[in-house]
Amino acid sequence: IKAHLKKYGLTEYIDFIFSRDDCNCKKRDDQYWQTLIEKESLDPKECIMICDDPVQDIEMPSKFGFQTMLVSSSEDLKKLVE
């Protein structure tokens, strides 16, 4: 993840990276999102989830109030920094 962020010049826009290793569950589980919100003291309405999977990365975070942006190619990533 960090290599991709660096490659596309996105590291300065990312506050942190959270993965299933941080909560011992998968993104499709409610517990993942609850742990993320609590651990990072987040207000989901103030966050955007950049993602590549429509179910795990859009449906689930939207359920908890996160804004989402689907990225399906390197071209999509380039558009983020333009």
Side-chain angles (χ1 to χ4, degrees):
I1 294 172
K2 290 180 182 180
H4 286 288
L5 293 172
K6 186 175 181 179
K7 179 179 179 180
Y8 294 103
L10 298 173
T11 52
E12 66 184 280
Y13 304 106
I14 306 299
D15 293 324
F16 62 89
I17 297 170
F18 188 86
S19 73
R20 64 182 176 187
D21 296 332
D22 295 306
C23 65
N24 298 317
C25 56
K26 296 182 179 183
K27 290 192 279 184
R28 66 176 175 250
D29 299 327
D30 286 355
Q31 185 61 44
Y32 177 93
W33 301 100
Q34 293 164 341
T35 302
L36 169 61
I37 292 166
E38 292 172 15
K39 187 173 182 180
E40 298 295 335
S41 301
L42 299 177
D43 178 353
K45 294 176 191 142
E46 296 178 358
C47 303
I48 186 164
M49 171 81 177
I50 300 170
C51 47
D52 64 354
D53 182 284
V55 175
Q56 291 188 92
D57 297 338
I58 291 185
E59 185 179 306
M60 290 302 293
S62 294
K63 176 180 172 181
F64 287 90
F66 288 89
Q67 299 174 66
T68 60
M69 179 177 182
L70 183 64
V71 175
S72 56
S73 70
S74 60
E75 291 303 312
D76 290 340
L77 284 175
K78 289 177 186 175
K79 290 176 189 175
L80 285 173
V81 295
E82 292 177 347

Coordinates of all heavy atoms in Angstrom, one line a residue:
I1 N 0.8 -1.2 0.0 CA 0.0 0.0 0.0 C 0.9 1.2 0.0 O 0.6 2.2 -0.8 CB -1.0 0.0 1.2 CG1 -2.0 -1.1 1.1 CG2 -1.7 1.3 1.3 CD1 -2.8 -1.3 2.3
K2 N 1.8 1.3 0.9 CA 2.7 2.5 1.0 C 3.5 2.7 -0.3 O 3.6 3.9 -0.7 CB 3.7 2.3 2.1 CG 3.0 2.4 3.5 CD 4.0 2.2 4.6 CE 3.3 2.3 5.9 NZ 4.2 2.1 7.1
A3 N 3.9 1.6 -1.0 CA 4.6 1.8 -2.3 C 3.7 2.4 -3.3 O 4.1 3.3 -4.1 CB 5.1 0.5 -2.8
H4 N 2.4 2.0 -3.4 CA 1.5 2.6 -4.4 C 1.2 4.1 -4.0 O 1.2 4.9 -4.9 CB 0.2 1.9 -4.4 CG 0.3 0.5 -5.1 ND1 0.4 0.4 -6.4 CD2 0.3 -0.7 -4.6 CE1 0.5 -0.8 -6.8 NE2 0.4 -1.6 -5.7
L5 N 1.1 4.4 -2.8 CA 0.8 5.8 -2.3 C 2.0 6.7 -2.7 O 1.8 7.8 -3.3 CB 0.6 5.9 -0.8 CG -0.7 5.2 -0.3 CD1 -0.7 5.2 1.2 CD2 -1.9 5.9 -0.9
K6 N 3.2 6.2 -2.5 CA 4.4 6.9 -2.9 C 4.5 7.1 -4.4 O 4.8 8.2 -4.9 CB 5.6 6.2 -2.3 CG 6.9 7.0 -2.5 CD 8.1 6.4 -1.9 CE 9.3 7.2 -2.1 NZ 10.5 6.6 -1.4
K7 N 4.3 6.0 -5.1 CA 4.4 6.0 -6.6 C 3.5 7.1 -7.2 O 3.9 7.8 -8.2 CB 4.0 4.7 -7.1 CG 4.1 4.6 -8.7 CD 3.7 3.2 -9.2 CE 3.7 3.1 -10.7 NZ 3.4 1.8 -11.1
Y8 N 2.3 7.3 -6.7 CA 1.3 8.2 -7.2 C 1.3 9.6 -6.5 O 0.4 10.4 -6.7 CB 0.0 7.6 -7.3 CG -0.1 6.4 -8.3 CD1 -0.1 5.1 -7.8 CD2 -0.1 6.7 -9.6 CE1 -0.1 4.1 -8.7 CE2 -0.1 5.6 -10.5 CZ -0.1 4.3 -10.1 OH 0.0 3.3 -11.0
G9 N 2.3 9.8 -5.6 CA 2.4 11.0 -4.9 C 1.2 11.3 -3.9 O 0.8 12.4 -3.7
L10 N 0.7 10.3 -3.3 CA -0.5 10.4 -2.4 C -0.1 10.4 -0.9 O -1.0 10.6 -0.1 CB -1.5 9.3 -2.7 CG -2.1 9.3 -4.1 CD1 -2.9 8.1 -4.4 CD2 -2.9 10.6 -4.4
T11 N 1.1 10.1 -0.6 CA 1.5 9.9 0.8 C 1.1 11.2 1.7 O 0.7 11.0 2.8 CB 2.9 9.6 1.0 OG1 3.7 10.5 0.3 CG2 3.2 8.2 0.5
E12 N 1.3 12.3 1.1 CA 1.0 13.6 1.9 C -0.5 13.7 2.2 O -0.9 14.5 3.0 CB 1.5 14.8 1.1 CG 0.8 15.1 -0.2 CD 1.4 16.3 -0.9 OE1 1.2 17.4 -0.5 OE2 2.2 16.0 -1.8
Y13 N -1.4 13.0 1.5 CA -2.8 13.1 1.7 C -3.4 12.1 2.6 O -4.6 12.1 2.9 CB -3.5 13.0 0.3 CG -3.0 14.0 -0.7 CD1 -2.2 13.7 -1.8 CD2 -3.4 15.4 -0.6 CE1 -1.8 14.6 -2.7 CE2 -2.9 16.3 -1.5 CZ -2.1 15.9 -2.5 OH -1.7 16.8 -3.4
I14 N -2.6 11.1 3.0 CA -3.0 10.0 3.8 C -2.6 10.2 5.2 O -1.4 10.3 5.5 CB -2.5 8.6 3.3 CG1 -2.8 8.5 1.8 CG2 -3.0 7.5 4.1 CD1 -4.2 8.5 1.4
D15 N -3.5 10.1 6.2 CA -3.2 10.3 7.6 C -2.8 9.0 8.2 O -1.9 9.0 9.1 CB -4.5 10.8 8.3 CG -4.8 12.2 7.9 OD1 -3.9 13.0 7.7 OD2 -6.0 12.5 7.9
F16 N -3.3 7.9 7.8 CA -2.9 6.6 8.3 C -3.4 5.4 7.4 O -4.3 5.7 6.6 CB -3.4 6.4 9.8 CG -4.9 6.4 9.8 CD1 -5.6 5.2 9.7 CD2 -5.6 7.6 10.0 CE1 -7.0 5.2 9.7 CE2 -7.0 7.6 10.1 CZ -7.7 6.4 9.9
I17 N -2.9 4.3 7.6 CA -3.4 3.1 6.9 C -3.9 2.1 8.0 O -3.2 1.9 9.0 CB -2.2 2.4 6.1 CG1 -1.8 3.4 5.0 CG2 -2.7 1.1 5.5 CD1 -0.5 2.9 4.3
F18 N -5.0 1.6 7.8 CA -5.6 0.6 8.7 C -6.0 -0.6 7.9 O -6.6 -0.6 6.9 CB -6.9 1.2 9.3 CG -7.5 0.4 10.4 CD1 -7.1 0.6 11.7 CD2 -8.6 -0.4 10.2 CE1 -7.7 -0.1 12.8 CE2 -9.2 -1.2 11.2 CZ -8.7 -1.0 12.5
S19 N -5.6 -1.8 8.4 CA -5.9 -3.0 7.7 C -6.5 -4.1 8.7 O -6.6 -3.9 9.9 CB -4.6 -3.6 7.1 OG -3.8 -4.2 8.1
R20 N -6.9 -5.2 8.1 CA -7.5 -6.3 8.9 C -6.5 -6.8 10.0 O -6.9 -7.3 11.0 CB -7.9 -7.4 8.1 CG -6.8 -8.1 7.3 CD -7.4 -9.2 6.5 NE -6.3 -9.8 5.7 CZ -6.5 -10.7 4.8 NH1 -7.7 -11.1 4.5 NH2 -5.5 -11.2 4.1
D21 N -5.2 -6.6 9.8 CA -4.2 -6.9 10.8 C -4.4 -6.1 12.1 O -3.9 -6.5 13.1 CB -2.8 -6.8 10.2 CG -2.6 -7.8 9.1 OD1 -3.2 -8.9 9.1 OD2 -1.7 -7.5 8.2
D22 N -4.9 -4.9 11.9 CA -5.1 -4.0 13.0 C -6.3 -4.3 13.9 O -6.4 -3.8 15.0 CB -5.3 -2.5 12.5 CG -4.0 -2.0 11.8 OD1 -2.9 -2.1 12.4 OD2 -4.1 -1.6 10.7
C23 N -7.2 -5.2 13.5 CA -8.3 -5.6 14.3 C -8.7 -7.0 14.2 O -9.7 -7.4 14.8 CB -9.5 -4.7 13.9 SG -10.1 -5.0 12.2
N24 N -7.9 -7.8 13.6 CA -8.1 -9.3 13.5 C -9.5 -9.7 12.9 O -10.1 -10.6 13.4 CB -7.9 -9.9 14.9 CG -6.5 -9.8 15.3 OD1 -5.5 -9.9 14.6 ND2 -6.3 -9.4 16.6
C25 N -10.0 -8.9 12.0 CA -11.2 -9.2 11.3 C -11.1 -8.7 9.9 O -10.2 -7.9 9.5 CB -12.4 -8.7 12.0 SG -12.4 -7.0 12.4
K26 N -12.1 -9.0 9.1 CA -12.1 -8.6 7.7 C -13.0 -7.4 7.4 O -13.9 -7.1 8.2 CB -12.5 -9.8 6.8 CG -11.6 -10.9 6.8 CD -12.0 -12.0 5.9 CE -11.0 -13.2 6.1 NZ -11.2 -14.3 5.2
K27 N -12.7 -6.7 6.3 CA -13.5 -5.5 6.0 C -15.0 -5.7 5.9 O -15.8 -4.8 6.0 CB -12.9 -4.8 4.8 CG -11.6 -4.2 5.0 CD -11.2 -3.2 3.9 CE -10.6 -4.0 2.8 NZ -10.1 -3.2 1.7
R28 N -15.4 -6.9 5.6 CA -16.8 -7.2 5.4 C -17.5 -7.4 6.8 O -18.7 -7.5 6.8 CB -17.0 -8.4 4.6 CG -16.5 -9.7 5.2 CD -16.9 -10.9 4.3 NE -16.3 -12.1 4.8 CZ -15.3 -12.8 4.3 NH1 -14.8 -12.3 3.2 NH2 -14.8 -13.8 4.9
D29 N -16.8 -7.3 7.9 CA -17.3 -7.4 9.2 C -17.6 -6.1 9.8 O -16.7 -5.2 9.7 CB -16.4 -8.2 10.1 CG -16.1 -9.6 9.7 OD1 -17.0 -10.2 9.1 OD2 -15.0 -10.1 9.9
D30 N -18.7 -5.9 10.5 CA -19.0 -4.6 11.1 C -17.9 -4.3 12.1 O -17.6 -3.1 12.3 CB -20.3 -4.7 11.9 CG -21.5 -4.6 10.9 OD1 -21.4 -4.4 9.7 OD2 -22.7 -4.8 11.5
Q31 N -17.4 -5.3 12.8 CA -16.3 -5.0 13.8 C -15.1 -4.3 13.3 O -14.5 -3.5 14.0 CB -15.9 -6.4 14.5 CG -15.0 -6.2 15.6 CD -15.5 -5.3 16.8 OE1 -16.7 -5.5 17.2 NE2 -14.8 -4.4 17.3
Y32 N -14.8 -4.6 12.0 CA -13.6 -3.9 11.4 C -13.9 -2.4 11.4 O -13.0 -1.6 11.9 CB -13.5 -4.4 10.0 CG -12.4 -3.7 9.2 CD1 -11.1 -4.2 9.1 CD2 -12.6 -2.5 8.5 CE1 -10.1 -3.6 8.4 CE2 -11.6 -1.8 7.8 CZ -10.4 -2.4 7.7 OH -9.4 -1.8 7.0
W33 N -15.0 -1.9 11.0 CA -15.3 -0.5 10.9 C -15.5 0.1 12.3 O -15.1 1.3 12.5 CB -16.5 -0.3 10.0 CG -16.2 -0.9 8.6 CD1 -16.6 -2.1 8.2 CD2 -15.4 -0.3 7.7 NE1 -16.0 -2.3 6.9 CE2 -15.3 -1.2 6.6 CE3 -14.7 0.9 7.6 CZ2 -14.5 -1.0 5.4 CZ3 -13.9 1.1 6.4 CH2 -13.8 0.2 5.4
Q34 N -16.1 -0.6 13.2 CA -16.3 -0.1 14.5 C -14.9 0.1 15.2 O -14.7 1.1 15.9 CB -17.2 -1.0 15.4 CG -18.6 -1.0 14.9 CD -19.4 -2.2 15.4 OE1 -18.9 -3.2 15.8 NE2 -20.7 -2.0 15.3
T35 N -14.0 -0.9 15.0 CA -12.7 -0.8 15.6 C -11.9 0.4 15.0 O -11.2 1.2 15.7 CB -11.9 -2.1 15.4 OG1 -12.6 -3.1 16.0 CG2 -10.5 -2.0 16.0
L36 N -12.0 0.6 13.7 CA -11.3 1.7 13.0 C -11.8 3.0 13.5 O -11.0 3.9 13.9 CB -11.6 1.6 11.5 CG -11.2 2.8 10.6 CD1 -9.7 3.1 10.7 CD2 -11.7 2.6 9.2
I37 N -13.1 3.2 13.6 CA -13.7 4.4 14.2 C -13.2 4.7 15.6 O -12.7 5.8 15.9 CB -15.2 4.4 14.1 CG1 -15.6 4.4 12.6 CG2 -15.8 5.6 14.9 CD1 -17.1 4.1 12.4
E38 N -13.2 3.7 16.4 CA -12.8 3.9 17.8 C -11.3 4.1 18.0 O -10.9 5.0 18.7 CB -13.3 2.7 18.6 CG -14.8 2.6 18.8 CD -15.3 1.3 19.4 OE1 -14.4 0.6 20.0 OE2 -16.5 1.0 19.3
K39 N -10.5 3.2 17.3 CA -9.1 3.3 17.5 C -8.5 4.6 17.0 O -7.5 5.1 17.6 CB -8.4 2.1 16.7 CG -7.0 2.0 16.9 CD -6.4 0.7 16.3 CE -4.9 0.6 16.6 NZ -4.4 -0.6 16.0
E40 N -9.0 5.1 15.9 CA -8.5 6.3 15.3 C -9.3 7.6 15.7 O -9.0 8.7 15.2 CB -8.4 6.2 13.8 CG -7.5 5.1 13.3 CD -6.1 5.3 13.6 OE1 -5.6 6.5 13.8 OE2 -5.3 4.3 13.7
S41 N -10.3 7.4 16.5 CA -11.2 8.5 17.0 C -11.7 9.3 15.8 O -11.6 10.5 15.7 CB -10.4 9.4 17.9 OG -9.9 8.7 19.1
L42 N -12.4 8.6 14.9 CA -12.8 9.2 13.6 C -14.3 9.6 13.7 O -15.1 9.0 14.4 CB -12.7 8.2 12.5 CG -11.3 7.7 12.2 CD1 -11.4 6.6 11.1 CD2 -10.4 8.8 11.8
D43 N -14.6 10.7 12.9 CA -15.9 11.0 12.6 C -16.0 10.6 11.1 O -15.5 11.3 10.2 CB -16.2 12.5 12.7 CG -17.6 12.9 12.3 OD1 -18.3 12.0 11.7 OD2 -17.9 14.1 12.5
P44 N -16.7 9.5 10.8 CA -16.7 9.0 9.4 C -17.1 10.0 8.4 O -16.7 9.9 7.2 CB -17.7 7.8 9.5 CG -17.6 7.3 10.9 CD -17.4 8.6 11.7
K45 N -18.0 11.0 8.8 CA -18.4 12.0 7.8 C -17.3 12.9 7.3 O -17.4 13.6 6.3 CB -19.5 12.8 8.4 CG -20.8 12.0 8.7 CD -21.8 12.8 9.4 CE -22.9 11.9 9.9 NZ -23.4 12.3 11.2
E46 N -16.2 12.9 8.1 CA -15.0 13.7 7.8 C -14.0 12.9 7.0 O -12.9 13.5 6.8 CB -14.5 14.4 9.0 CG -15.4 15.3 9.7 CD -14.8 15.9 11.0 OE1 -13.7 15.5 11.4 OE2 -15.5 16.7 11.6
C47 N -14.3 11.7 6.7 CA -13.3 10.8 6.1 C -13.7 10.4 4.7 O -14.9 10.4 4.3 CB -13.1 9.5 6.9 SG -12.7 9.8 8.6
I48 N -12.7 10.0 3.9 CA -13.0 9.4 2.6 C -12.2 8.1 2.5 O -11.0 8.1 2.8 CB -12.6 10.4 1.4 CG1 -13.1 9.7 0.1 CG2 -11.2 10.8 1.4 CD1 -13.2 10.7 -1.1
M49 N -12.8 7.1 2.0 CA -12.2 5.8 1.8 C -11.9 5.6 0.4 O -12.8 5.6 -0.5 CB -13.2 4.7 2.3 CG -12.9 3.3 2.0 SD -11.7 2.7 3.2 CE -11.6 1.1 2.7
I50 N -10.7 5.5 0.0 CA -10.2 5.3 -1.4 C -10.1 3.8 -1.5 O -9.4 3.1 -0.7 CB -8.9 6.0 -1.7 CG1 -9.1 7.5 -1.5 CG2 -8.5 5.7 -3.1 CD1 -7.8 8.3 -1.6
C51 N -10.9 3.2 -2.5 CA -11.0 1.8 -2.5 C -11.0 1.2 -3.8 O -11.1 1.9 -4.8 CB -12.3 1.4 -1.7 SG -13.7 2.4 -2.3
D52 N -10.9 -0.2 -3.9 CA -10.9 -0.9 -5.1 C -11.9 -2.0 -5.2 O -12.0 -2.7 -6.2 CB -9.5 -1.4 -5.5 CG -9.0 -2.4 -4.5 OD1 -9.7 -2.7 -3.5 OD2 -7.9 -3.0 -4.7
D53 N -12.7 -2.2 -4.1 CA -13.7 -3.3 -4.1 C -15.0 -2.7 -3.8 O -15.2 -2.2 -2.7 CB -13.3 -4.3 -3.1 CG -14.2 -5.5 -3.0 OD1 -15.3 -5.3 -2.5 OD2 -13.9 -6.6 -3.5
P54 N -16.0 -2.8 -4.7 CA -17.3 -2.2 -4.5 C -18.1 -2.7 -3.2 O -18.8 -1.9 -2.6 CB -18.1 -2.6 -5.7 CG -17.1 -3.0 -6.8 CD -15.9 -3.5 -6.0
V55 N -17.9 -3.9 -2.9 CA -18.6 -4.5 -1.7 C -17.9 -4.1 -0.4 O -18.5 -3.5 0.5 CB -18.9 -6.0 -1.8 CG1 -19.6 -6.5 -0.6 CG2 -19.7 -6.3 -3.0
Q56 N -16.7 -4.6 -0.3 CA -16.0 -4.4 1.0 C -15.6 -3.0 1.2 O -15.6 -2.5 2.4 CB -14.7 -5.2 1.0 CG -14.9 -6.7 1.1 CD -13.5 -7.4 1.3 OE1 -13.2 -7.7 2.4 NE2 -12.9 -7.7 0.2
D57 N -15.3 -2.2 0.2 CA -14.8 -0.9 0.3 C -15.8 0.2 0.1 O -15.4 1.4 0.3 CB -13.6 -0.7 -0.6 CG -12.4 -1.6 -0.3 OD1 -12.3 -2.1 0.8 OD2 -11.6 -1.9 -1.2
I58 N -16.9 -0.1 -0.4 CA -17.9 1.0 -0.6 C -19.2 0.7 0.2 O -19.6 1.5 1.0 CB -18.3 1.1 -2.1 CG1 -17.1 1.7 -2.8 CG2 -19.5 2.0 -2.3 CD1 -17.3 2.1 -4.3
E59 N -19.7 -0.5 0.1 CA -20.9 -0.8 0.8 C -20.8 -0.8 2.3 O -21.5 -0.1 3.0 CB -21.4 -2.2 0.4 CG -22.7 -2.7 1.0 CD -23.1 -4.0 0.5 OE1 -23.2 -4.3 -0.7 OE2 -23.4 -4.9 1.4
M60 N -19.7 -1.4 2.8 CA -19.5 -1.5 4.3 C -19.2 -0.1 4.8 O -19.8 0.3 5.8 CB -18.5 -2.5 4.6 CG -18.9 -3.9 4.4 SD -20.4 -4.4 5.4 CE -19.8 -4.3 7.0
P61 N -18.2 0.6 4.3 CA -17.9 1.9 4.9 C -19.0 2.9 4.8 O -19.3 3.7 5.7 CB -16.6 2.4 4.2 CG -16.5 1.5 3.0 CD -17.2 0.3 3.3
S62 N -19.8 2.8 3.7 CA -20.9 3.7 3.5 C -22.0 3.5 4.6 O -22.6 4.4 5.1 CB -21.6 3.5 2.2 OG -20.7 3.9 1.1
K63 N -22.1 2.2 5.0 CA -23.0 1.8 6.1 C -22.7 2.6 7.4 O -23.6 2.9 8.2 CB -22.9 0.3 6.3 CG -23.7 -0.3 7.4 CD -23.6 -1.8 7.5 CE -24.2 -2.4 8.7 NZ -24.0 -3.9 8.7
F64 N -21.4 2.9 7.6 CA -20.9 3.5 8.8 C -20.8 5.0 8.6 O -20.3 5.7 9.5 CB -19.7 2.9 9.3 CG -19.9 1.5 9.9 CD1 -19.9 0.4 9.1 CD2 -20.2 1.4 11.3 CE1 -20.1 -0.9 9.7 CE2 -20.5 0.2 11.8 CZ -20.4 -1.0 11.0
G65 N -21.1 5.6 7.5 CA -21.1 7.0 7.2 C -19.9 7.5 6.5 O -19.7 8.7 6.4
F66 N -18.9 6.7 6.1 CA -17.8 7.1 5.4 C -18.1 7.5 3.9 O -19.0 6.9 3.3 CB -16.7 6.0 5.3 CG -16.0 5.7 6.6 CD1 -16.5 4.8 7.4 CD2 -14.8 6.3 6.9 CE1 -15.9 4.5 8.6 CE2 -14.2 6.1 8.1 CZ -14.7 5.1 9.0
Q67 N -17.4 8.5 3.4 CA -17.5 8.8 2.0 C -16.6 7.8 1.3 O -15.6 7.4 1.9 CB -17.0 10.2 1.7 CG -17.9 11.3 2.4 CD -17.2 12.7 2.2 OE1 -17.2 13.2 1.1 NE2 -16.8 13.2 3.3
T68 N -16.9 7.5 0.1 CA -16.0 6.5 -0.6 C -15.7 7.0 -2.0 O -16.4 7.8 -2.6 CB -16.7 5.1 -0.7 OG1 -17.9 5.3 -1.4 CG2 -16.9 4.5 0.7
M69 N -14.6 6.5 -2.6 CA -14.2 6.7 -3.9 C -13.6 5.5 -4.5 O -12.6 5.0 -4.0 CB -13.2 7.9 -4.0 CG -12.7 8.2 -5.4 SD -11.6 9.6 -5.4 CE -11.3 9.7 -7.2
L70 N -14.2 4.9 -5.5 CA -13.8 3.7 -6.2 C -12.6 4.0 -7.1 O -12.7 4.9 -8.0 CB -14.9 3.0 -6.9 CG -14.6 1.7 -7.5 CD1 -14.3 0.6 -6.5 CD2 -15.8 1.2 -8.4
V71 N -11.5 3.3 -7.0 CA -10.4 3.4 -7.8 C -10.2 2.0 -8.5 O -9.9 1.1 -7.8 CB -9.1 3.8 -7.0 CG1 -7.9 3.8 -7.9 CG2 -9.3 5.2 -6.4
S72 N -10.3 2.0 -9.8 CA -10.2 0.7 -10.5 C -9.0 0.6 -11.4 O -8.7 -0.4 -12.0 CB -11.5 0.4 -11.3 OG -11.7 1.4 -12.2
S73 N -8.2 1.7 -11.5 CA -7.0 1.6 -12.3 C -6.0 2.7 -11.9 O -6.3 3.6 -11.1 CB -7.4 1.9 -13.8 OG -7.7 3.3 -13.9
S74 N -4.8 2.6 -12.4 CA -3.8 3.6 -12.0 C -4.2 5.0 -12.5 O -3.8 6.0 -12.0 CB -2.4 3.2 -12.6 OG -2.4 3.0 -14.0
E75 N -4.9 5.0 -13.6 CA -5.4 6.3 -14.1 C -6.3 7.0 -13.1 O -6.3 8.2 -13.0 CB -6.1 6.1 -15.5 CG -5.2 5.7 -16.6 CD -4.1 6.6 -16.8 OE1 -4.3 7.9 -16.9 OE2 -2.9 6.2 -17.0
D76 N -7.1 6.2 -12.4 CA -8.0 6.8 -11.4 C -7.2 7.4 -10.3 O -7.5 8.5 -9.8 CB -8.9 5.7 -10.8 CG -10.0 5.2 -11.8 OD1 -10.3 5.9 -12.7 OD2 -10.5 4.1 -11.5
L77 N -6.1 6.7 -9.9 CA -5.2 7.3 -8.9 C -4.6 8.6 -9.3 O -4.4 9.5 -8.6 CB -4.1 6.3 -8.5 CG -4.5 5.1 -7.6 CD1 -3.4 4.1 -7.5 CD2 -5.0 5.6 -6.3
K78 N -4.1 8.6 -10.6 CA -3.5 9.9 -11.1 C -4.5 11.0 -11.0 O -4.1 12.2 -10.8 CB -3.0 9.6 -12.5 CG -1.8 8.7 -12.6 CD -1.4 8.5 -14.1 CE -0.3 7.5 -14.1 NZ 0.0 7.1 -15.5
K79 N -5.8 10.8 -11.3 CA -6.8 11.8 -11.2 C -6.9 12.4 -9.9 O -7.3 13.6 -9.7 CB -8.1 11.3 -11.7 CG -8.2 10.9 -13.2 CD -9.5 10.3 -13.5 CE -9.5 9.8 -14.9 NZ -10.8 9.1 -15.2
L80 N -6.6 11.7 -8.8 CA -6.7 12.1 -7.5 C -5.8 13.3 -7.2 O -6.1 14.2 -6.4 CB -6.4 11.0 -6.5 CG -7.5 10.0 -6.2 CD1 -7.0 8.9 -5.4 CD2 -8.8 10.6 -5.7
V81 N -4.6 13.3 -7.8 CA -3.7 14.3 -7.5 C -3.7 15.5 -8.5 O -3.0 16.5 -8.4 CB -2.2 13.8 -7.5 CG1 -2.1 12.8 -6.3 CG2 -1.8 13.1 -8.7
E82 N -4.5 15.4 -9.5 CA -4.6 16.5 -10.5 C -5.4 17.6 -10.0 O -6.3 17.5 -9.2 CB -5.2 16.0 -11.8 CG -4.3 15.0 -12.5 CD -4.9 14.4 -13.8 OE1 -6.1 14.6 -14.0 OE2 -4.1 13.9 -14.6

